[in-house]
Amino acid sequence: MALGAVPALAQTAATEDPEGVSVEQQADSEGEKDVEPRAVEENSLDVVYVSNQGSDTDGDGSEKHPLASLAEAVSAVKDGGTVYVMSDLSIAKMAYVNGKSVTIDGGKHVVTRADEFEKSQDLNRGGFNGSMFEVANGATLRLKSITLDDAMLHEGSEFVEEKTGQDVSDKNNEAKVQSGIITAFGDGHGHVILGEGTILKNYGGLCAVRVGGNRDADGNWSGSTLLMESGSMICDRSSSVAREGGFAAIWNQGGKVEMQEGSSIEHVNGR
């Protein structure tokens, strides 16, 4: 439903509906009437706004009626679209970038992992503790002017890799910490671009970014990629909380990683 306004009315006006029932219409005190926002459909918007003052129930993703979570915003945006972050946010559910190209313009805001993070579920992993973002099925996630702060937090207590496969029993992945702040598995062929002004800090799971890939018998590579553009950074900036475990800032399992001049990994405590 498009946002708009109706003309101001000098007084209450009575009209007839198609069945002859009298209906009163009256403008509000400012001479405008907002169109009622509605729930947003998946892959329906070129531009989506998200704010800590927004609503995933009543918001329509517009600047006037933003959504509340990046998970819903990423779901709603079309291939090639942009999500604009209007305020600092707390993220409590994994945002799944699935088979499309999405840009998130953070407007220099900070997105922090919530103390209680909702568990995710799929056929290969069962229940598991999700990253802030997972990029899959050939998708591309481009971040700019945003800070993602894991706050050294993690769900689960085991700092080991998840078990996968529908034929694998007793995965117990809910006991394992999240893979990273951003995850792009090799078989998902996702692409992660950390643009200028992007900071990933204080990872609490196994890493900040996880990528992977492999080569077939003929030497042909397939997998996921990470590009750190100039002005992007992975770091720790927390003096009050110590890291409990983890592997590395970038956990590369056969993927492709490129760091442009002017990007950096620095002050990563304990690793």
Side-chain angles (χ1 to χ4, degrees):
M1 185 178 295
L3 293 178
V6 297
L9 301 180
Q11 59 184 2
T12 301
T15 62
E16 298 285 322
D17 72 9
E19 297 180 359
V21 179
S22 179
V23 180
E24 287 193 342
Q25 296 179 329
Q26 187 173 17
D28 63 19
S29 59
E30 296 180 355
E32 289 188 348
K33 182 179 290 184
D34 289 338
V35 175
E36 195 69 25
R38 61 174 174 80
V40 181
E41 297 179 356
E42 187 175 0
N43 300 321
S44 63
L45 299 173
D46 292 311
V47 173
V48 182
Y49 291 88
V50 60
S51 166
N52 60 17
Q53 300 298 311
S55 170
D56 288 342
T57 302
D58 298 324
D60 60 10
S62 66
E63 188 171 6
K64 192 170 185 179
H65 299 290
L67 299 176
S69 72
L70 282 168
E72 291 300 320
V74 165
S75 174
V77 74
K78 289 181 180 179
D79 181 25
T82 300
V83 175
Y84 290 97
V85 179
M86 302 173 68
S87 68
D88 291 350
L89 296 172
S90 176
I91 185 169
K93 180 181 180 180
M94 185 177 76
Y96 187 58
V97 188
N98 182 23
K100 58 186 176 182
S101 177
V102 174
T103 296
I104 298 180
D105 187 336
K108 298 183 179 180
H109 292 296
V110 178
V111 178
T112 304
R113 188 179 182 92
D115 288 335
E116 295 186 4
F117 202 89
E118 183 177 321
K119 295 188 185 301
S120 299
Q121 180 91 24
D122 67 22
L123 290 175
N124 282 323
R125 289 171 285 183
F128 66 96
N129 294 307
S131 304
M132 282 192 186
F133 293 91
E134 185 166 321
V135 187
N137 297 318
T140 297
L141 172 64
R142 180 183 181 87
L143 301 172
K144 63 180 184 178
S145 298
I146 192 170
T147 297
L148 302 183
D149 185 358
D150 228 15
M152 302 284 189
L153 295 173
H154 57 84
E155 299 292 329
S157 58
E158 299 177 13
F159 285 83
V160 296
E161 185 177 4
E162 302 157 336
K163 293 181 179 179
T164 62
Q166 297 182 42
D167 57 344
V168 177
S169 60
D170 301 324
K171 297 184 183 75
N172 195 32
N173 285 333
E174 293 188 4
K176 300 174 176 64
V177 302
Q178 69 268 17
S179 288
I181 298 176
I182 305 174
T183 297
F185 293 106
D187 57 4
H189 307 108
H191 306 285
V192 179
I193 302 172
L194 307 185
E196 183 178 3
T198 298
I199 299 173
L200 273 55
K201 67 179 186 178
N202 303 326
Y203 74 85
L206 298 181
C207 64
V209 184
R210 178 179 178 178
V211 294
N214 57 66
R215 296 187 181 275
D216 62 20
D218 296 322
N220 299 311
W221 178 86
S222 66
S224 56
T225 65
L226 167 64
L227 170 61
M228 293 184 64
E229 295 181 339
S230 179
S232 65
M233 179 189 300
I234 297 174
C235 65
D236 285 342
R237 290 182 177 174
S238 175
S239 59
S240 60
V241 181
R243 173 169 289 111
E244 293 183 37
F247 294 165
I250 300 173
W251 182 15
N252 185 3
Q253 297 180 300
K256 292 185 176 181
V257 175
E258 178 184 350
M259 293 182 63
Q260 293 183 348
E261 184 177 356
S263 64
S264 65
I265 299 174
E266 56 188 70
H267 307 301
V268 177
N269 299 325
R271 290 292 180 272

